[in-house]
Amino acid sequence: MRAVKIVLLLALLVSLAAAQSPAQSVAGRWQATISPQNKAGEKLFDTHFVFVIASGAKGLQATLYNGPERMEFSSAEFSSGRLTLRLSQYDGAISAKLGENGTLSGDYTRQTSTGIRHYPLTAVKSAASKGDVKAANSLAGDWVVTFINDSGSDKVAPAVFHVEKDGSVNGTIAPVSGDYGLLSGTVTPGQHPKFSLSRFDGIHVLLLEGEIDSANAMHGALNKSDDFTAVRKGSSDSANSAEAPPDPEAVSKLKDPNEVFRYTGANPQSGKAVTQDDFKGKAVIVDIFGTWCPNCHDEAPLLADLYKRYHAQGLEIVGLAYEYTDDATRNARMVEIYRKKYGIEFPLLISGTTGGKDIAKTLPQLEGFGGYPTTIFIGRDGKVRHIHAGFAGPATGKLEEVKKRFDQNTEEILGNRK
C-alpha cells in the first residue's frame, strides 16, 4: 500500500509539473535592470524598470511599465528557455535566457545611427515595493533645472514630480527639445533626502539621481554625467534666477521669413519625390520627425487628430522623417509601423538621416534647429507663421496647453483667426 501511495504521489507531481507550461514559468511581474556601457565595455549606470508577462489563450502578452505609464510589447515569445520581447516601433528587442535560479539574463538590442547597440539586462520576479511618502513629498512639485555643462537651449528646463499612494515618485524634466518621458523611483529619507528615478522605454535609458539640499534647492546628475542644480518654481531663488526655460516657438527661426518655405521628401513606397509645390494654396503643417523619437510618438496622435478635424478646411500635414540609416527598405517598414500605430492619414516622407547634418542640407532656410520633433506652421501663401521646437508630452502635465497652442496656430494658418 505504501508503495502504491508513493507511486500516486510521484504521478501527481509529474502531472503538476506538466500542467505548468514553459510560458507560465515566465508569467508574472519582473523587476529589470538595464546597464548601458561605454566603448570599453564598462558599465556606466543601472536603469530600473518593470515588465509584466501574462499567459493566456492567445499566448504570451507583455507590458512595460515606467511608474503608472504602460507600453505594450509588440510580441512576446518564450522558447527553449529564452524570452524575446519586441518593441517593433523602435526596431528593438529584449532577448534573455531563464536561468535555473529564476533570473533572466540577456540584453536589449536596437538600431542606432551608429549601428546595432547592445544593453546588458537582467530581471528577477519581484512583488511591488513601497516608498517613503514623507521623503517623497520633499521632491514633489515644480522645479527649474539648470544643467551645469550645457550652454544651449536645453540648459534650463522645467521639471515636475508627484507622489503616488505607494510612496513612489513620478515626474520628468522637459527641455525645449522634448521631455524625457515619465521617470519613476523613490526618495530615501534623511537630513538631505536622496532620490533615484529611472526610465526605459525602448529609446530612453535614463537614471536621474540627486540630493534635496533644502525645501527650495537640490542638485544631481542625469546618467551620472550631466550635472544639474534646481530651485523650486515660485521660490525666491527661482525669481532671482538669471535664466528661464526658453519659449519653444522662439528657438528655431528662418534666415528669411519672407521666403516661401521649401522642403522635399520621398514617398517610402514609391520613391516619388514630394515638395512644397504639391501643396500650393494650402495651409500646411510640416512635421520634422523620426520613428526612433519618443517625443515624436507623443506628438503623432495630436497631429493625426488635427488632420481629421481640419483637412476639410484646407489643412495639409506632411511628415519629414529623418531616420538612423539610409536603408530604404528598413525606413519604409519603420514609417509604415509608425503610420499604422497612430492611424495617420497624411503623407509621411523620407527626407534624410540623423547623421551627416542632413537637416542643414535639406532644410537650409532653418536656423537654430531645436530637435525632434520640430513642427512648422505654414500659411496658404507658403510662408512660415510659427516654428514649434520639441514637444511636451503627457509626463509634463502640459499636453492640453500644447494642444490648445497647436489649435490656435492651425486656425491662424487656415485664415480663421488673425
Side-chain angles (χ1 to χ4, degrees), residues 21-23 25-26 30 60 77-84 94-100 102-106:
S21 67
S25 67
V26 293
W30 293 85
L60 290 182
E77 300 174 4
F78 185 66
S79 177
S80 301
R82 180 167 291 276
L83 177 69
T84 303
I94 290 173
S95 178
K97 191 78 173 178
L98 182 62
E100 292 181 0
T103 298
L104 286 167
S105 300

Side-chain angles (χ1 to χ4, degrees), residues 5-245:
K5 289 183 178 179
I6 291 174
V7 170
L8 291 173
L9 179 59
L10 289 173
L12 178 61
L13 292 174
V14 170
S15 176
L16 290 173
Q20 185 182 43
S21 67
Q24 288 173 322
S25 67
V26 293
R29 181 186 186 277
W30 293 85
Q31 179 72 49
T33 301
I34 188 168
S35 306
Q37 298 176 327
N38 60 19
K39 292 181 179 180
E42 300 167 329
K43 184 174 76 171
L44 298 174
F45 55 89
D46 289 332
T47 289
H48 306 290
F49 67 99
V50 169
F51 62 88
V52 175
I53 299 177
S55 177
K58 295 182 179 181
L60 290 182
Q61 293 181 314
T63 306
L64 187 158
Y65 287 89
N66 288 283
E69 181 189 277
R70 54 184 291 160
M71 176 189 295
E72 303 299 328
F73 284 95
S74 309
S75 64
E77 300 174 4
F78 185 66
S79 177
S80 301
R82 180 167 291 276
L83 177 69
T84 303
L85 305 175
R86 299 189 185 281
L87 290 170
S88 297
Q89 69 270 37
Y90 294 134
D91 206 9
I94 290 173
S95 178
K97 191 78 173 178
L98 182 62
E100 292 181 0
N101 60 354
T103 298
L104 286 167
S105 300
D107 60 8
Y108 174 71
T109 60
R110 72 174 180 91
Q111 178 74 52
T112 73
S113 58
T114 57
I116 302 296
R117 187 167 181 183
H118 298 261
Y119 301 83
L121 177 145
T122 60
V124 295
K125 281 190 176 180
S126 174
S129 59
K130 293 186 177 182
D132 188 298
V133 174
K134 183 177 180 180
N137 283 329
S138 63
L139 182 60
D142 293 287
W143 299 79
V144 179
V145 174
T146 300
F147 286 97
I148 296 170
N149 299 319
D150 193 328
S151 59
S153 59
D154 283 348
K155 180 178 181 178
V156 180
V160 59
F161 303 99
H162 56 273
V163 181
E164 301 293 334
K165 292 180 180 179
D166 63 359
S168 63
V169 179
N170 301 307
T172 193
I173 300 177
V176 69
S177 61
D179 66 275
Y180 298 155
L182 193 69
L183 298 115
S184 183
T186 57
V187 180
T188 304
Q191 183 178 0
H192 297 293
K194 299 181 185 299
F195 58 88
S196 178
L197 285 74
S198 293
R199 179 175 181 81
F200 168 70
D201 58 18
I203 296 293
H204 290 123
V205 181
L206 301 175
L207 174 66
L208 187 73
E209 292 183 312
E211 184 174 285
I212 302 167
D213 305 323
S214 67
N216 294 321
M218 65 177 172
H219 70 274
L222 177 68
N223 292 351
K224 292 190 179 294
S225 59
D226 298 330
D227 296 332
F228 68 84
T229 60
V231 293
R232 196 173 288 279
K233 183 179 178 180
S235 67
S236 57
D237 293 328
S238 174
N240 294 330
S241 175
E243 297 185 74

Side-chain angles (χ1 to χ4, degrees), residues 90 172-181 199 201 203-204 287-301 338 342 371-373 390-396:
Y90 294 134
T172 193
I173 300 177
V176 69
S177 61
D179 66 275
Y180 298 155
R199 179 175 181 81
D201 58 18
I203 296 293
H204 290 123
D287 182 46
I288 302 172
F289 80 105
T291 62
W292 49 268
C293 160
N295 298 109
C296 302
H297 283 259
D298 285 341
E299 184 193 41
Y338 187 89
Y342 300 108
Y372 298 88
F391 189 77
T396 67

